[in-house]
Amino acid sequence: YMYDQTSSGTFQYTLEATKSLRQKQGEGPMTYLNKGQFYAITLSETGDNKCFRHPISKVRSVVMVVFSEDKNRDEQLKYWKYWHSRQHTAKQRVLDIADYKESFNTIGNIEEIAYNAVSFTWDVNEEAKIFITVNCLSTDFSSQKGVKGLPLMIQIDTYSYNNRSNKPIHRAYCQIKVFCDKGAERKIRDEER
């Protein structure tokens, strides 16, 4: 499950990927992903106090890849610029969403609103499912070899559909480490050992 940042707890998002067996003190769980591999995220509304009553049961969610909170904006931009400068094409995206039929029945209005973010709408009366892939490694942000990769996060902000307010009604995130060539599985095997 993704760590809920808002106390309302009205939404629940599940990223179907391998979680680290070791959790560092004071940090949330770390999830291991392979670069370029698609992972499912399920979104649902929870609780008895469902805040969305008919007829407007639609919400808009934005899924994005971000750096951990303690990085300031300028620093983050510097990292992204460096990453982009090393890609084969200026159109390279950090985050992609797959157009699998099974998810397109549950979401609509898909927009790639930034190279690291996608937005879509879904109906809270039904569970929504999307498949995302992350196209950057945690170590892509430095030219130094052997440097520890930057912590990345998948963050999901949900907004009420009819209210064009720029403040999300719910936010959740989870820390990710992105590996190449099935590195996520190798990392878990090492931890199990």
Side-chain angles (χ1 to χ4, degrees):
Y1 292 118
M2 295 193 147
Y3 175 73
D4 198 333
Q5 212 182 15
T6 32
S7 52
S8 63
T10 43
F11 293 98
Q12 182 174 293
Y13 315 124
T14 312
L15 171 63
E16 292 172 29
T18 318
K19 211 155 66 174
S20 166
L21 305 172
R22 277 185 255 158
Q23 199 168 326
K24 288 197 181 86
Q25 200 59 45
E27 281 186 21
M30 176 70 73
T31 303
Y32 297 144
L33 305 179
N34 291 314
K35 177 181 173 178
Q37 186 176 325
F38 281 98
Y39 295 91
I41 296 179
T42 330
L43 303 92
S44 58
E45 193 185 15
T46 58
D48 315 321
N49 57 342
K50 296 213 167 178
C51 54
F52 295 99
R53 293 272 169 252
H54 300 290
I56 298 172
S57 56
K58 260 205 173 118
V59 291
R60 186 168 63 88
S61 289
V62 177
V63 178
M64 60 199 115
V65 173
V66 294
F67 293 108
S68 63
E69 310 238 299
D70 51 5
K71 296 257 175 287
N72 69 42
R73 260 186 82 89
D74 293 343
E75 211 178 337
Q76 294 192 32
L77 276 171
K78 192 182 80 186
Y79 285 131
W80 285 129
K81 276 191 181 130
Y82 175 75
W83 181 80
H84 262 125
S85 73
R86 300 180 66 203
Q87 302 309 306
H88 299 307
T89 161
K91 292 195 175 76
Q92 177 62 52
R93 297 186 48 75
V94 174
L95 179 77
D96 277 318
I97 187 166
D99 52 358
Y100 295 157
K101 290 278 181 290
E102 56 195 292
S103 60
F104 277 40
N105 302 336
T106 63
I107 60 172
N109 306 314
I110 299 157
E111 279 178 81
E112 294 178 339
I113 53 176
Y115 56 84
N116 63 333
V118 285
S119 142
F120 53 88
T121 55
W122 56 287
D123 188 324
V124 297
N125 294 317
E126 290 163 35
E127 201 173 68
K129 192 169 202 167
I130 60 161
F131 293 84
I132 56 125
T133 184
V134 179
N135 300 316
C136 65
L137 298 171
S138 301
T139 50
D140 279 351
F141 303 98
S142 166
S143 51
Q144 286 172 280
K145 282 277 170 265
V147 90
K148 193 171 176 256
L150 284 179
L152 292 169
M153 293 185 168
I154 287 180
Q155 180 175 308
I156 302 182
D157 286 357
T158 295
Y159 300 83
S160 69
Y161 184 66
N162 55 343
N163 179 357
R164 278 292 175 186
S165 145
N166 51 10
K167 202 170 152 26
I169 49 176
H170 185 268
R171 168 173 288 171
Y173 60 85
C174 73
Q175 275 197 307
I176 56 167
K177 252 196 190 137
V178 191
F179 298 89
C180 54
D181 307 328
K182 299 276 177 228
E185 286 78 5
R186 272 199 307 280
K187 182 86 173 144
I188 284 293
R189 282 199 300 274
D190 290 349
E191 286 186 1
E192 280 170 345
R193 268 205 263 348

